[in-house]
Amino acid sequence: MFRKFWLDVILGTAFIFGMMGVFQSFTAFKVFDVFDPIGQAFGDMEFTDIVFSQLRDDPVGDDRVVLVNLSNLQRGEIGMMLQIISQHNPAVIGIDSFFYTPKEDTLGDMMLMEGMASVEHLVLASKLLPDPTDPTKDTIEYSWELFNSFAERTAFVNLVTDAEVQEDLKMCREFYPKFDIGGEQQIAFAVQLASYLDSAAAADFLARNNETEVINYRGNVLDYGATKFGNKYFALDVPDVFGENFVPDMIEGKIVMFCYLGKHLGDRESFEDKFYTPLNQKYIGRAFPDMYGGVVHANIISMILNRDYINSMSENMGYLFAILICFFNVALFSLVYKKIPKWYDGITKLFQLLEIGVLVFGVIYILELYSFKADIAVGMVAVALAGDALEVYYGVVKNSFTKEGRKSLFKVDKL
Amino acid sequence: MRKFISYAFVVAMILSCGSVSAQDYAFRVLANKGTNQVKKAGAGQAEVLKTGAKLSSGDEIIASDDAYIGLMHKSGKTTEIRGAGTKKVSELEKNINTGSSSIASRYASFVMNKMNEEENTNNRSRLNATGAVSRATGSAAINVMAPSQADLLGDLAILRWDAPEGFTEDDSYVVKIENIFNEEIYSEETKKTSVALDFSDEDLAYDMGLYLVKIYKKGDDEIASGEVGIKKVKSGDKVEVQENLANLKSEVSDDSPLNKIIYASFYEENGLILDALTKYEEAIKMSPDIDDFQELYQNFLIKNGLAE
């Protein structure tokens, strides 16, 4: 009897995972997508987004990173801004922009070069172009070589998103800290910039050796409420720089990043280089992108300097957790099914609701307290399916394999 | 007595070290949008609010209409000011919550807020967006051949603009110069399509040296140019350029058209577009018949995105 019970529990668990597999193979063909607006809306959402966007304690601002808006300036004007900023001795200046080819406006190019030459430590952006199938064909794209010659280092600015081109809508949660191209290790832009302020922190971060890292978002820059934490970094707009309307000590010894922050600070109409992030106040459904790419890099820098990383659960751990929690549910529900069958539906549904609530709170709690991102999506689906799927297992599958069960299907009792 | 003095000295040193190491401000300005000012405690006049500036408890922030100011408290917590008004720093300090609430209470209040969220079913209050765009009729109707932001090393700036469509000989222009607080400091009426502004003139004397120039059609402010921001280079700025200019002046006089072209090239090389433009204008005025000067000037304008 005891062995039979545990055999049922094991087979019941296997049946639930089988159902999940069948369901997934159906949805892989996206046949239900057209009738599934809720699934579409949830598709881009993770439970942990609620923590970032709604539940986190207000993080403190970071005065070690200064963002300078490139707006839609010409190269010559960018050169002038570089000269103005560099005279206040920043630890490093990074330019989060590409200047691929020389322009007919040679004066502008010359002014930009003059500006770059005035910077003691300059980091320029590069772009990884990995071949989807053949790593030997991976390449890397840089600004025009004459500009590049002024850079002390180059670093890649790619972020992990589902966008196929820069103009696509994009959600950014992760990034590659380093990437191997042709046997040569390339370093991410934010990691490179952070290394100028705290080389040990950057080295520690790289030593984690994770292929990708989850970004521990801290906040934004003048975003008119697009996120809950809209004001966490020093930011200078074009007139602030040209009019020198800033206090020089905010630049000295800091990481300065020239990046696009809209046509002007607080611009909500420019979407070039703008991302959805987990900080977005509207964490589900349709929303505007909330953060410019430069600010995403700034958030990564803060995470590295504060050694405030987010650890995440591996995919295999997620599956193991799903199997264990499913097994526990099936054992409990089997007990209810056999001992108090009249109470089965009510008790299992109530327990599932409670369990999902506890799991969601657990994920939030663990992320907030231990900076650990637990990906238990498969486990949650298993919990949600356990009650009804087990009924199908006992009522249909098991009965089909017993003579008595098959017989009762065709025997109609008098009412 | 000697012992007492030495103890007193040590105590005074410790106290003074303590006061130095403590944060000597209430807030720092993280970001600053708009023409905002700060009135320091005890000061008679307000001054321009700068990004990175430190604000003390007795200070007052005077925010302009379109203000958006990001502030970081000494504890690292942040706050912001949006829209016009005067805010006392001490009041802002009171609103900073330096404590931290438990995640359970934050989760509970999040759930409560969601539960109490009411859907807006009143369509009258849902008509804020339109399916259209707006275009200001007179915006940049007058095209000024000058960059929107420029440094000026010399005293003279010549601004030239194209006459807008439909302009007749009877019409005239008004050139207005404002300071960065949008207070008018100079105005001039002209029938010509250029104006020479002498910034050494007493009428234009202004400590900050930041000017906003705009040209309007007289009697119709809707027809206007874009704003040209001019920053007078001070004696301590661009020192190398000023030294090189002094050397140039010692070798080349500024009295012939050709020499003015040399000066124009010097200014252009050093990114002083408005000075260069002024020298080209002066050279052409002195020798209007020399086509080469006209051609050089045209190339200069095209190269710097001031003409097509």
Side-chain angles (χ1 to χ4, degrees), chain A residues 245 247, chain B residues 27 29 32 35-51 53-64 69 71 81 85-89 92 181:
Chain A
N245 190 32
V247 177
Chain B
F27 286 100
V29 181
N32 175 25
T35 48
N36 308 304
Q37 293 174 287
V38 58
K39 194 173 172 203
K40 291 279 181 191
Q45 273 197 326
E47 56 189 74
V48 179
L49 183 69
K50 291 186 172 187
T51 308
K54 291 172 181 172
L55 306 173
S56 305
S57 296
D59 297 347
E60 279 181 8
I61 298 172
I62 303 160
S64 64
I69 307 166
L71 299 170
I81 297 171
T86 302
K87 310 272 181 197
K88 285 184 177 170
V89 171
L92 294 168
F181 307 113

Side-chain angles (χ1 to χ4, degrees), chain B residues 198-268:
Chain B
D198 186 354
F199 287 92
S200 63
D201 196 318
E202 268 186 24
D203 292 340
L204 286 168
Y206 159 47
D207 284 346
M208 288 189 69
L210 292 164
Y211 302 89
L212 302 170
V213 184
K214 213 167 170 183
I215 291 120
Y216 299 87
K217 179 188 175 186
K218 192 188 172 189
D220 186 356
D221 282 359
E222 287 285 289
I223 298 177
S225 70
E227 217 163 51
V228 178
I230 297 174
K231 185 191 166 203
K232 264 305 267 129
V233 176
K234 292 174 183 164
S235 53
D237 297 342
K238 296 185 184 287
V239 179
E240 202 181 328
V241 179
Q242 297 206 43
E243 281 172 6
N244 291 341
L245 180 65
N247 290 338
L248 183 67
K249 278 182 178 169
S250 66
E251 290 168 14
V252 182
S253 67
D254 182 19
D255 51 5
S256 76
L258 191 60
N259 287 359
K260 285 190 185 291
I261 296 291
I262 292 170
Y263 274 88
S265 303
F266 170 84
Y267 286 127
E268 190 182 353

Side-chain angles (χ1 to χ4, degrees), chain A residues 11-30:
Chain A
L11 289 174
T13 306
F15 177 73
I16 291 167
F17 275 89
M19 270 185 77
M20 283 162 65
V22 170
F23 189 72
Q24 197 190 7
S25 64
F26 267 109
T27 53
F29 294 114
K30 300 188 187 301

Side-chain angles (χ1 to χ4, degrees), chain B:
Chain B
M1 186 64 185
R2 273 176 63 189
K3 219 172 185 180
F4 173 76
I5 291 170
S6 59
Y7 282 140
F9 180 74
V10 169
V11 169
M13 285 301 287
I14 291 167
L15 287 175
S16 65
C17 286
S19 65
V20 167
S21 60
Q23 298 276 29
D24 55 346
Y25 63 90
F27 286 100
R28 275 200 93 167
V29 181
L30 279 178
N32 175 25
K33 180 176 155 64
T35 48
N36 308 304
Q37 293 174 287
V38 58
K39 194 173 172 203
K40 291 279 181 191
Q45 273 197 326
E47 56 189 74
V48 179
L49 183 69
K50 291 186 172 187
T51 308
K54 291 172 181 172
L55 306 173
S56 305
S57 296
D59 297 347
E60 279 181 8
I61 298 172
I62 303 160
S64 64
D65 278 343
D66 57 344
Y68 194 168
I69 307 166
L71 299 170
M72 182 166 68
H73 187 247
K74 60 188 173 191
S75 66
K77 296 282 179 180
T78 54
T79 186
E80 57 188 40
I81 297 171
R82 281 195 234 171
T86 302
K87 310 272 181 197
K88 285 184 177 170
V89 171
S90 54
E91 291 294 321
L92 294 168
E93 253 189 309
K94 283 180 195 164
N95 296 330
I96 291 285
N97 179 14
T98 51
S100 170
S101 54
S102 74
I103 183 162
S105 69
R106 269 179 271 140
Y107 186 65
S109 71
F110 167 65
V111 173
M112 286 300 288
N113 287 341
K114 281 284 162 198
M115 281 165 67
N116 293 329
E117 229 170 45
E118 280 180 24
E119 198 182 339
N120 184 0
T121 51
N122 179 7
N123 281 344
R124 287 179 171 276
S125 63
R126 298 172 66 204
L127 298 173
N128 298 324
T130 65
V133 294
S134 62
R135 293 281 180 264
T137 51
S139 175
I142 300 172
N143 178 35
V144 184
M145 289 173 222
S148 56
Q149 308 251 355
D151 285 354
L152 183 72
L153 186 56
D155 289 328
L156 192 70
I158 296 177
L159 294 180
R160 182 173 291 283
W161 56 90
D162 296 326
E165 256 179 62
F167 232 68
T168 64
E169 284 183 359
D170 298 332
D171 291 323
S172 55
Y173 304 91
V174 178
V175 180
K176 283 186 187 172
I177 302 181
E178 294 177 345
N179 61 20
I180 59 163
F181 307 113
N182 292 107
E183 294 162 347
E184 188 177 308
I185 52 177
Y186 180 79
S187 175
E188 182 180 330
E189 203 178 308
T190 178
K191 279 192 173 295
K192 294 191 282 186
T193 53
S194 68
V195 66
L197 300 169
D198 186 354
F199 287 92
S200 63
D201 196 318
E202 268 186 24
D203 292 340
L204 286 168
Y206 159 47
D207 284 346
M208 288 189 69
L210 292 164
Y211 302 89
L212 302 170
V213 184
K214 213 167 170 183
I215 291 120
Y216 299 87
K217 179 188 175 186
K218 192 188 172 189
D220 186 356
D221 282 359
E222 287 285 289
I223 298 177
S225 70
E227 217 163 51
V228 178
I230 297 174
K231 185 191 166 203
K232 264 305 267 129
V233 176
K234 292 174 183 164
S235 53
D237 297 342
K238 296 185 184 287
V239 179
E240 202 181 328
V241 179
Q242 297 206 43
E243 281 172 6
N244 291 341
L245 180 65
N247 290 338
L248 183 67
K249 278 182 178 169
S250 66
E251 290 168 14
V252 182
S253 67
D254 182 19
D255 51 5
S256 76
L258 191 60
N259 287 359
K260 285 190 185 291
I261 296 291
I262 292 170
Y263 274 88
S265 303
F266 170 84
Y267 286 127
E268 190 182 353
E269 274 172 26
N270 288 288
L272 296 160
I273 305 302
L274 201 51
D275 290 278
L277 193 144
T278 303
K279 289 295 167 196
Y280 277 116
E281 285 276 352
E282 285 176 353
I284 289 166
K285 196 177 173 187
M286 287 172 83
S287 303
D289 303 330
I290 300 178
D291 290 342
D292 284 349
F293 288 175
Q294 304 273 6
E295 203 176 311
L296 278 171
Y297 186 31
Q298 203 54 36
N299 286 341
F300 162 81
L301 291 175
I302 292 167
K303 251 196 319 190
N304 289 285
L306 306 176
E308 289 177 357

